[in-house]
Amino acid sequence: MYQFAELDWTGSHDTVVVGIGAADAVETGLDTLFNGRVKSLIQSADISTKTGEVSIVPTFEGNIKRVLFVGLGQRNDSSVENLRNWFGKVAKEIKGRGFTDVAVALDTFEPGVASLFAEAYEMATYEHPTYKSAPKSATPDVTITLLGDVNEADVEAGAAYGRGVNVARTLTMMPANILDAVALADYAVDLAERRGFSHRIIEKEEMEALGMGALLAVNQGSTIPPKLIVLEYNGAGDDAPIAVVGKGVTFDTGGYSIKPKDGIVGMKGDMGGAATVLGLFETLATTKPAVNVLGVIPATDNMISGDAFKPDDVITAMNGKTIEVLNTDAEGRLVLADAVTFAKTYEPKAIIDVATLTGGVLVALGTEVTGCLTNDDSLYEALETASRATNELVWQMPYFDVFIKQVRKSEVADLNNSPGRYGHMIFGGAFVGEFVGDTPWLHLDIAGTSERSAANYLGPKGPTGVMVRTLASMLEGWKR
């Protein structure tokens, strides 16, 4: 899709994208396309220099049909996030208007923004899959020529960030009768074989042999067997990996602690953590950071039947700890418990788990901020640094002994899976922490950020693919 060339105002393109600030001197070649009238077009408001506003103006001369101007104001608002959003806005204009031959004068925005443009373009032009009987109209192919001093590897990396997000979006959007645990495992195997990752699928019989009583309990009510999906990216030889564990509950009824009718709609997205892991691996295939990464996804649905697990059951996790089940709708932490324990058999440098775990994180932080727990402040600092670059906001929640004691409070077992309503987000994370031990650990609760209720410059309403870019950025900068 991308071509590369030097900036040449005498070249031939249907559309050229240009950033223009209020105080900018107009480049001679650009002004020539408008017979020297760019300043007068600005004065008449036919070209807007207001921050983020788009103006599309036909040219008067030359082989360029039109110029799409993006206003940069006084250029003091050209932050990474603003540029990403403006590039997303440009991408939507390109797609919406059916432009097929577009050149982007990147240096008129800021130096070194090629990766940002590619990332934004992939995300902004994405469309969710649908299952309507009438086929959608085909989108015309577009050729984008990036003008200026452009590093092609940066463009590939930016596009890979966007593609990883879109993989996670697509998987999260798929209905559970199409994407069940078996289909999710098949997708992971296909990804691994296409992209050159090692892979392993642990079946129910092996889970039983390993003693994964927590994951198996959640699966008891289902007719679809569970899968433990294991992917390995090797970028650092024999070095210990960073384990990324994603909750893969393909549909969550709540079990016998059943969800209300309004709350059960949308539970196909309860595998958002698994989608993040798979999107991350899609990105790693291109960015190739110098680290080893272990991906672990416990995949199952949480259904109701005569065989389903129940409140008051006592189950035994892979590490031998017993758990009193007080709430079958607190199932995500149960599947993560066994997945984290399994990940520890690889002796990882760190464990990061990602999950649509609790409604409590929505109450605490809303829909724009991912809640985090950690036992290692430097690990959180690395995440926070990466999140600032991607603008995927994170916030560290307290992880005190008072919460841990509540998780350990049971008269009949070592742990309980639901100490109560207050502090629920922290209890969910603290429960997973009981299976981490001394390994450096981050818990990311994306229940509030994995979906958006309205479209924005970088994508449609619905699944967001949150944390794919942040984790990819964090792993690229890994120095521990």
Side-chain angles (χ1 to χ4, degrees):
M1 182 179 74
Y2 292 107
Q3 297 180 355
F4 305 92
E6 297 298 320
L7 178 59
D8 179 6
W9 296 112
T10 65
S12 179
H13 299 286
D14 286 347
T15 306
V16 175
V17 179
V18 174
I20 188 163
D24 287 2
V26 180
E27 206 277 333
T28 301
L30 174 63
D31 208 26
T32 300
L33 294 175
F34 296 92
N35 288 338
R37 299 180 188 177
V38 170
K39 285 296 184 185
S40 64
L41 289 168
I42 291 172
Q43 291 169 357
S44 64
D46 290 296
I47 297 173
S48 174
T49 61
K50 291 181 180 179
T51 301
E53 288 198 1
V54 169
S55 311
I56 301 176
V57 186
T59 60
F60 302 153
E61 299 288 345
N63 296 320
I64 295 171
K65 291 183 179 180
R66 67 184 72 86
V67 175
L68 189 159
F69 291 95
V70 180
L72 302 180
Q74 299 299 324
R75 288 187 175 263
N76 55 1
D77 289 330
S78 297
S79 65
V80 167
E81 185 50 29
N82 278 343
L83 283 169
R84 186 185 284 115
N85 283 332
W86 299 338
F87 286 147
K89 191 173 184 179
V90 167
K92 286 179 178 287
E93 289 283 353
I94 292 170
K95 182 174 182 177
R97 293 176 180 271
F99 295 160
T100 58
D101 174 20
V102 179
V104 185
L106 288 171
D107 288 347
T108 64
F109 291 89
E110 293 287 340
V113 294
S115 64
L116 206 60
F117 178 85
E119 176 188 322
Y121 191 89
E122 292 287 338
M123 294 170 63
T125 57
Y126 169 80
E127 294 182 15
H128 290 305
T130 67
Y131 303 90
K132 295 184 179 182
S133 56
K136 293 181 64 174
S137 300
T139 302
D141 292 335
V142 57
T143 298
I144 296 178
T145 304
L146 300 179
L147 304 175
D149 185 13
V150 178
N151 184 320
E152 295 184 27
D154 288 345
V155 176
E156 291 177 4
Y161 272 48
R163 285 195 303 271
V165 168
N166 293 343
V167 162
R169 286 168 163 172
T170 295
L171 291 169
T172 308
M173 192 69 176
M174 292 174 71
N177 64 320
I178 295 174
L179 189 73
D180 58 18
V182 174
L184 189 63
D186 289 344
Y187 179 91
V189 169
D190 178 69
L191 171 65
E193 292 178 347
R194 282 188 292 108
R195 293 302 205 170
F197 303 126
S198 300
H199 64 85
R200 177 184 175 192
I201 305 298
I202 294 178
E203 305 290 352
K204 183 176 181 179
E205 294 76 14
E206 188 175 355
M207 293 180 200
E208 291 170 343
L210 290 169
M212 292 184 171
L215 172 54
L216 290 167
V218 176
N219 181 254
Q220 274 178 215
S222 180
T223 59
I224 299 166
K227 305 282 183 176
L228 189 72
I229 301 164
V230 184
L231 301 177
E232 294 182 66
Y233 161 79
N234 191 308
D238 295 330
D239 200 17
I242 296 95
V244 186
V245 181
K247 174 185 172 184
V249 176
T250 57
F251 195 84
D252 181 20
T253 67
Y256 277 106
S257 305
I258 191 167
K259 294 178 182 291
K261 63 181 178 66
D262 293 333
I264 205 169
V265 175
M267 283 299 107
K268 66 182 183 182
D270 209 18
M271 38 60 68
T276 294
V277 173
L278 293 170
L280 172 63
F281 270 76
E282 176 69 36
T283 299
L284 295 178
T286 298
T287 58
K288 295 181 169 58
V291 293
N292 292 337
V293 184
L294 170 71
V296 180
I297 297 169
T300 181
D301 47 16
N302 182 23
M303 304 298 286
I304 301 172
S305 76
D307 295 323
F309 79 134
K310 307 169 292 300
D312 291 338
D313 282 1
V314 175
I315 60 180
T316 303
M318 180 180 172
N319 68 349
K321 288 188 177 182
T322 56
I323 304 162
E324 181 183 10
V325 177
L326 299 181
N327 181 359
T328 62
D329 194 22
E331 87 301 330
R333 65 203 68 178
L334 298 176
V335 303
L336 288 174
D338 279 344
V340 164
T341 301
F342 177 84
K344 281 176 64 68
T345 65
Y346 286 74
E347 299 182 352
K349 288 184 176 182
I351 295 173
I352 303 168
D353 77 80
V354 191
T356 50
L357 205 67
T358 67
V361 75
L362 274 157
V363 176
L365 298 175
T367 60
E368 298 294 333
V369 183
T370 292
C372 308
L373 258 65
T374 188
N375 62 4
D376 187 297
D377 287 341
S378 64
L379 191 60
Y380 177 78
E381 288 170 9
L383 175 80
E384 190 176 37
T385 297
S387 76
R388 285 195 293 268
T390 61
N391 199 45
E392 293 185 323
L393 305 177
V394 297
W395 192 258
Q396 184 177 0
M397 303 295 279
Y399 182 42
F400 299 144
D401 284 346
V402 64
F403 299 111
I404 296 170
K405 288 177 180 177
Q406 290 297 307
V407 169
R408 294 175 180 173
K409 188 176 181 180
S410 172
E411 295 182 2
V412 296
D414 299 321
L415 307 170
N416 78 83
N417 79 324
S418 185
R421 178 181 178 186
Y422 301 117
H424 188 209
M425 180 263 160
I426 300 170
F427 288 142
F431 181 92
V432 178
E434 290 296 284
F435 299 84
V436 169
D438 296 330
T439 305
W441 164 67
L442 272 173
H443 166 71
L444 306 179
D445 192 336
I446 61 170
T449 52
S450 65
E451 306 254 352
R452 70 167 56 95
S453 59
N456 66 9
Y457 290 141
L458 295 175
K461 170 184 175 180
T464 61
V466 70
M467 289 292 118
V468 170
R469 292 179 299 130
T470 294
L471 292 177
S473 177
M474 182 182 177
L475 290 171
E476 281 194 79
W478 190 266
K479 295 181 175 64
R480 295 169 62 87

